[in-house]
Amino acid sequence: AEQVVEVERVIGRSLHPEHRKLLLLMNGWPGIPYILSTAEIINGERWRATLAEQDRFDADHRRTRNAAYAAAGIPIPEDPPAASARAASIDVVPFAAWAICTFGVDPDDGFVRWVPLDKKYAEDPHGTSTRSAGTVREYLLSEIDQLHDRIEGRKRAQQQSS
């Protein structure tokens, strides 16, 4: 419990009740999704590293896109600021981080949101942003449903190949 209190002290507010309960029940989860522990929320290293990886991924994509556009004579569009720069201006409590995915709990509504790609934070002229799956509980239930669907799909594929 002291670790959760320390997170709240560091972030300067109370955690959303569902996020608080999750951290009290299990202090992080090293899977996919990789749910941050209290120590990881406080030190921010995994959160920053994941955003930096997203910046690298986006830069690689832009270089490839820009080369193809230039070769075809298509004007190169202006890009938004880097994910890490956009995320720095978004008020969320870090929740999960892996690969190029950073999720935070929004203090206004308790929703788990993909930072910085959630529709709440980004204008979306190309339809590439995401929507929240809901609160911490709803997000975790949707992850369980997706895992169940993958397991059932594998079972069907194994049955068909037998």
Side-chain angles (χ1 to χ4, degrees), residues 3-125:
Q3 295 164 323
V4 172
V5 170
E6 180 63 10
V7 168
E8 292 175 328
R9 186 190 67 72
V10 168
I11 66 173
R13 69 161 59 99
S14 295
L15 291 166
H16 184 271
E18 291 180 14
H19 193 190
R20 187 176 219 284
K21 285 179 188 174
L22 179 67
L23 289 171
L24 289 169
L25 178 66
M26 52 183 231
N27 191 3
W29 183 263
I32 296 178
Y34 186 106
I35 298 172
L36 300 170
S37 69
T38 53
E40 291 168 319
I41 293 170
I42 291 168
N43 77 30
E45 186 176 317
R46 185 177 185 94
W47 177 264
R48 287 187 304 274
T50 303
L51 285 165
E53 185 61 29
Q54 185 173 352
D55 289 347
R56 283 188 292 278
F57 177 85
D58 291 346
D60 289 345
H61 167 76
R62 283 191 298 273
R63 276 191 294 279
T64 303
R65 180 206 62 198
N66 292 354
Y69 279 25
I74 299 170
I76 296 172
E78 185 175 326
D79 291 312
S84 57
R86 289 179 287 155
S89 67
I90 296 172
D91 184 22
V92 295
V93 177
F95 175 72
W98 72 99
I100 60 167
C101 302
T102 48
F103 288 80
V105 177
D106 188 305
D108 295 331
D109 56 18
F111 280 25
V112 175
R113 298 187 184 277
W114 190 349
V115 176
L117 301 175
D118 191 274
K119 283 189 179 289
K120 180 175 179 177
Y121 312 124
E123 291 183 26
D124 191 28

